[in-house]
Amino acid sequence: MKKTILFLLFAVAFNLTSFGQIDKILGKWKTIDDADGSEKSIVHIFKATNGKYYGKIEHLFKEPEKLCTECTGTNKDKPILSMLILNNMVEKDGSLTGGTILDPKNGKIYKCNISYDEKSGKLNVRGSLDKSGWIGRTQTWVKNN
């Protein structure tokens, strides 16, 4: 009986911690250029009514009128401003996973995992070619106040 109660308390605490992490991921984040460290855009991460998470570009620091000339499909030659770049993400263990991220610079779509770094208060956004995330790169996004 004591073990069951202890297990239930642990499970509830773990779920509350996971919810807290997701709550910290939601909001507006500055993306940073890997090459020179300059600010590229502000992405708003939100939960949609279908229960999945998305990210939309709300501000471009350079070239706000730029079109996604390298994109294919419905994004081809569309404005990058207001474009959804994070799609169909789901919450798992306090992180976002299972969806995709679009790189408007090259028009490619990658598998995506997002986690919140408690120490730095930043997001680790990993885009990868493979499902397990081995082949890819991680960007650090900074909270936009």
Side-chain angles (χ1 to χ4, degrees):
M1 180 69 170
K2 287 182 183 179
K3 287 182 182 180
T4 303
I5 292 172
L6 187 59
F7 175 76
L8 288 174
L9 288 174
F10 176 74
V12 168
F14 180 76
N15 283 335
L16 289 176
T17 302
S18 294
F19 176 75
Q21 291 293 87
I22 291 301
D23 196 40
K24 291 176 183 176
I25 291 174
L26 299 178
K28 296 181 181 184
W29 295 89
K30 287 182 194 173
T31 66
I32 309 298
D33 190 310
D34 294 335
D36 64 11
S38 65
E39 299 171 333
K40 291 191 323 186
S41 66
I42 295 176
V43 176
H44 180 216
I45 300 176
F46 61 94
K47 184 176 184 179
T49 56
N50 66 0
K52 294 188 178 184
Y53 297 85
Y54 297 84
K56 181 179 188 176
I57 296 180
E58 288 198 344
H59 180 77
L60 290 171
F61 288 97
K62 300 174 188 170
E63 301 182 81
E65 304 298 321
K66 187 170 173 79
L67 303 179
C68 194
T69 56
E70 299 299 319
C71 290
T72 59
T74 59
N75 286 332
K76 178 72 175 159
D77 295 325
K78 298 287 192 235
I80 294 173
L81 187 63
S82 298
M83 187 173 284
L84 282 176
I85 62 163
L86 294 171
N87 288 287
N88 298 310
M89 304 292 291
V90 294
E91 185 275 328
K92 182 178 179 186
D93 300 329
S95 297
L96 295 180
T97 189
T100 60
I101 186 167
L102 166 69
D103 183 349
K105 188 174 183 178
N106 63 21
K108 293 183 180 177
I109 297 173
Y110 303 94
K111 292 171 180 38
C112 186
N113 293 298
I114 300 175
S115 61
Y116 180 78
D117 184 336
E118 197 69 47
K119 285 184 180 179
S120 68
K122 298 177 181 178
L123 282 188
N124 294 315
V125 181
R126 180 141 183 98
S128 59
L129 297 172
D130 61 318
K131 204 172 195 177
S132 59
W134 289 99
I135 305 168
R137 68 183 175 105
T138 301
Q139 280 192 327
T140 302
W141 293 3
V142 179
K143 190 74 169 177
N144 185 52
N145 296 326

